[in-house]
Amino acid sequence: MPFPFWSLATVLKIFQRFHGKWTRLPGTGRTIKDLMLRYMLDTNICIELMKNQPPQVVNKFEECFVGEVVMSAITFAELQYGVQISENPDQQQAHLKELIEDIPVMAFETFTALSYGPIRTATRLSKRDHLDKLIAAHAVSLDVVLVTNNERDFSKYPGLKIENWLK
């Protein structure tokens, strides 16, 4: 069964189809558009969710609406690699499938690639962490907060907003 990769355009079309215009949600003063795409999870947070489900991360999820938390296709690729090298690939694949049922995978699109240049340029002396740079570019291009337990490495990327839900 293929995994769902959602583009931003697809997500917007789905919400518009089911919710009409960007009407205000009762009691919130916010529109559906306001609720979308607030957080992108880094690979280390996804791994924590698959293995431990830390209470502080679960509590933060409870504060979010459906569709506000996503993961990058780059993160999904890293997780897929982890599944393949794990001691129990079938079990880990099932856990990953459950995770993406709740956390949509956002496709890495052309407009996302445009954000990679400035990030790579600002850190061009660093020859490592290329996947982190791609994840950072993805978060910057969508104007979302990257949720990571690796604040030190991600803090050097220009324009990136980060939070650590494990603290």
Side-chain angles (χ1 to χ4, degrees):
M1 174 180 213
F3 289 102
F5 284 89
W6 296 4
S7 70
L8 181 59
T10 301
V11 172
L12 291 172
K13 285 178 188 173
I14 290 168
F15 275 98
Q16 281 182 318
R17 179 177 297 146
F18 289 106
H19 298 284
K21 301 290 182 213
W22 300 120
T23 56
R24 300 234 174 258
L25 294 171
T28 67
R30 299 167 75 187
T31 66
I32 293 293
K33 188 175 180 181
D34 294 334
L35 297 178
M36 293 180 48
L37 304 181
R38 292 180 55 206
Y39 301 104
M40 178 173 280
L41 302 185
D42 184 26
T43 310
N44 56 43
I45 297 295
C46 290
I47 291 168
E48 283 294 321
L49 282 169
M50 288 172 62
K51 290 184 176 181
N52 306 320
Q53 296 187 350
Q56 62 272 39
V57 176
V58 172
N59 291 340
K60 192 69 173 169
F61 264 104
E62 289 175 356
E63 297 173 11
C64 297
F65 288 94
V66 173
E68 289 184 326
V69 180
V70 297
M71 81 171 72
S72 172
I74 307 301
T75 295
F76 181 69
E78 287 189 297
L79 294 170
Q80 202 54 61
Y81 170 71
V83 164
Q84 296 303 310
I85 63 168
S86 71
E87 291 181 14
N88 190 341
D90 292 335
Q91 180 185 25
Q92 293 306 315
Q93 190 68 53
H95 290 307
L96 181 55
K97 184 178 177 187
E98 287 176 24
L99 185 69
I100 66 168
E101 287 175 7
D102 295 327
I103 303 167
V105 177
M106 297 301 291
F108 194 94
E109 300 189 47
T110 305
F111 72 92
T112 303
L114 296 174
S115 296
Y116 180 71
I119 287 175
R120 180 78 189 267
T121 300
T123 58
R124 69 179 165 266
L125 298 179
S126 173
K127 301 294 184 200
R128 48 188 292 269
D129 302 327
H130 293 296
L131 294 177
D132 285 352
K133 292 174 186 177
L134 288 169
I135 293 167
H138 205 170
V140 167
S141 74
L142 295 173
D143 192 29
V144 296
V145 175
L146 182 69
V147 179
T148 183
N149 194 28
N150 185 4
E151 295 168 280
R152 193 187 91 217
D153 286 349
F154 279 102
S155 65
K156 62 189 170 194
Y157 302 129
L160 181 64
K161 300 173 280 193
I162 57 175
E163 284 184 17
N164 187 342
W165 289 0
L166 289 171
K167 285 188 172 180

